[in-house]
Structures are given as C-alpha cells and as structure tokens.
Amino acid sequence: MYSDQEQPPPTQPPAYMPPTQRVKFEFIGEAFQLLQKQLGAWVGAATLTVLLTSLFISPIYIYWAFQLTKNPEQTNPTVSGLLSIVVTLVSTIMGAGLQYMALKQLRGETLSATSFTGAFSKFGPLAILGLFLGAVSALFGVLPGFLPLLLIVPEILLTTFFTLSSLLILDRNLEPVAALKESVRVMRQEFWISLAFILLSGMASMVGFAACGLGILFSLPLYPLCIVLLYRAFYPERFSPTATQEGQ
C-alpha cells in the first residue's frame, strides 16, 4: 500500500503506432527482378497464353465484325455482350495461369513455359468466376448511349475489389462466391493505394506493346507477378517456409 506521501507512479498510455502500409510501389521493381530471373519461361508462357487466348476469342471478334459490315450504324447488344463475356472468361482463366506461375516462383520453384497449365486443375471454379466477371463487364458495356463511358470509373473500382479472387481460388481452394467476398474484404483495407498500384502495374506490363508489338511477350508477365506480390502483402503467412498451397 502507498502512504499519503507516496503516490503510485503515473501510468503512461502507450504511444500511438500508425498501422504499417502493406502495399508498396516497390513491388513493381521486385516483379521486374523476378521476371529477369526466369525470363525464358515467362516469355514462353506469355507466347502460349497470347496464342491460346487469340484462338478462343478470334471467332467471336470475326462474327462481331461480320455483324458490323451488315449494319455498320448499329451494334447488336447481344453480340457485344457475348463478346465481353467470352473475352473476360478466357482472360480470367489464362490470367490465372500466369498468376499460378508467379505463385510458384515466389515459393522458390523453377518454372517452365507450360507451368501455367497447373491452374487448369481449378478450371471449374475459375470458369464460374470468369462468367460472373464477364456478365458484370457485359452489363456495363451494353448500356445505351454514353452510359458505358460514364460508368467506366465504377467498373474499375468494382474490378479492383475482385482483383485477388482468382488467387484465392488457386491458393486457398475457395469457391468463387467465397473468393469474391474475401477479395472485397481484404482489398477494402488499403483500397486506394492498391488501386493505384494495380493501374501502374497494368501500364508497366503494356510498355512492351507500346514500344514494339512483340515486346508485350517480355512485359506481359509483370502484371501477374505484381498481383501475386499484392496478394503476398495481405497474406504473408502463405509464403512462410511451412506454408502450403492447401486451403485453410
């Protein structure tokens, strides 16, 4: 007990520590270094991805162009919507393949040009996810007049919320709906910095196309590498030495 003359030492409240920002623009430089380490495998995978994507999407574009020649003054919204769904579906599945490769590299594995096919074991959930994202894209795209242009910002924001959904299917075996919900939950934590990071990553990956058409094969892999680094920022435990690719 303290006497009247002795007072207990005052307790000091703990100093406020601001939360550490997890998403960093330095990830783009790290992605470039990772790309350089296994450049041959990445260029091979990018080449196969572009060829396969073109193989599936080209017939829809040809049909769409044929419809325009018949009636150049009016675009059939059904054809436009179908085109948007198919493009998003194929892009989601093939993009997930490159993200699968990036996951493997970040865990210290050696890649080959066909490593992206490992993602096809999750074809069903990825296809459902792609159909959903395609339907959302089609809904924005087939609106009349200038509405699609006015809604491009909301569409970008919504797409950003869903950025990690493919990786959550690949790495944690989540179902498509659960993956979408989890992606939204996580991306809300550092949304604006994540949005800026995603936009910069996308622009960096297109540098090769702007400089030289074939250069896209060298810069395209930057984007999936950046997205997996973004995923690592929110789920660092998935990349610990004891972590596995099994769902938790």
Side-chain angles (χ1 to χ4, degrees):
M1 300 262 324
Y2 290 98
S3 65
D4 293 338
Q5 289 76 23
E6 296 181 67
Q7 297 296 327
T11 57
Q12 296 292 332
Y16 172 72
M17 297 294 292
T20 303
Q21 180 178 296
R22 287 170 288 190
V23 180
K24 297 178 172 58
F25 292 110
E26 290 84 353
F27 292 164
I28 298 177
E30 184 178 352
F32 183 72
Q33 293 175 356
L34 289 167
L35 174 60
Q36 288 180 308
K37 289 180 180 178
Q38 301 199 48
L39 183 60
W42 277 113
V43 171
T47 302
L48 292 174
T49 298
V50 170
L51 290 175
L52 289 173
T53 302
S54 301
L55 177 65
F56 286 107
I57 292 178
S58 294
I60 303 296
Y61 272 111
I62 292 172
Y63 179 70
W64 179 67
F66 177 72
Q67 291 294 318
L68 285 180
T69 58
K70 291 173 58 177
N71 190 357
E73 297 181 356
Q74 184 176 5
T75 302
N76 188 328
T78 301
V79 175
S80 299
L82 178 61
L83 174 64
S84 181
I85 291 173
V86 172
V87 169
T88 306
L89 171 63
V90 175
S91 299
T92 298
I93 294 173
M94 300 308 297
L98 296 179
Q99 290 177 355
Y100 178 82
M101 285 184 64
L103 279 172
K104 289 172 66 70
Q105 184 173 6
L106 259 69
R107 289 178 172 137
E109 299 185 40
T110 301
L111 305 178
S112 69
T114 58
S115 292
F116 70 92
T117 59
F120 295 166
S121 62
K122 306 286 177 61
F123 181 85
L126 290 172
I128 294 173
L129 176 66
L131 287 172
F132 171 77
L133 297 177
V136 172
S137 178
L139 179 63
F140 281 102
V142 300
L143 293 174
F146 292 99
L147 282 178
L149 294 176
L150 296 177
L151 295 176
I152 190 170
V153 172
E155 184 177 5
I156 292 173
L157 298 179
L158 187 62
T159 302
T160 301
F161 277 120
F162 296 152
T163 296
L164 301 181
S165 51
S166 294
L167 283 165
L168 290 164
I169 291 173
L170 291 171
D171 192 52
R172 295 186 55 188
N173 292 323
L174 296 187
E175 294 299 321
V177 173
L180 287 166
K181 290 180 178 179
E182 174 67 5
S183 181
V184 171
R185 183 191 71 81
V186 171
M187 294 298 289
R188 286 175 60 186
Q189 299 173 19
E190 296 187 16
F191 180 77
W192 295 110
I193 186 68
S194 297
L195 171 61
F197 173 77
I198 290 168
L199 292 175
L200 283 175
S201 301
M203 288 188 287
S205 69
M206 296 303 293
V207 167
F209 183 78
C212 172
L214 290 178
I216 191 66
L217 301 177
F218 293 86
S219 61
L220 178 64
L222 276 174
Y223 185 74
L225 282 164
C226 286
I227 298 304
V228 172
L229 290 170
L230 179 68
Y231 176 77
R232 186 189 66 182
F234 289 108
Y235 300 97
E237 71 280 1
R238 300 297 299 168
F239 297 85
S240 65
T242 57
T244 68
Q245 291 188 352
E246 298 298 325
Q248 294 181 347

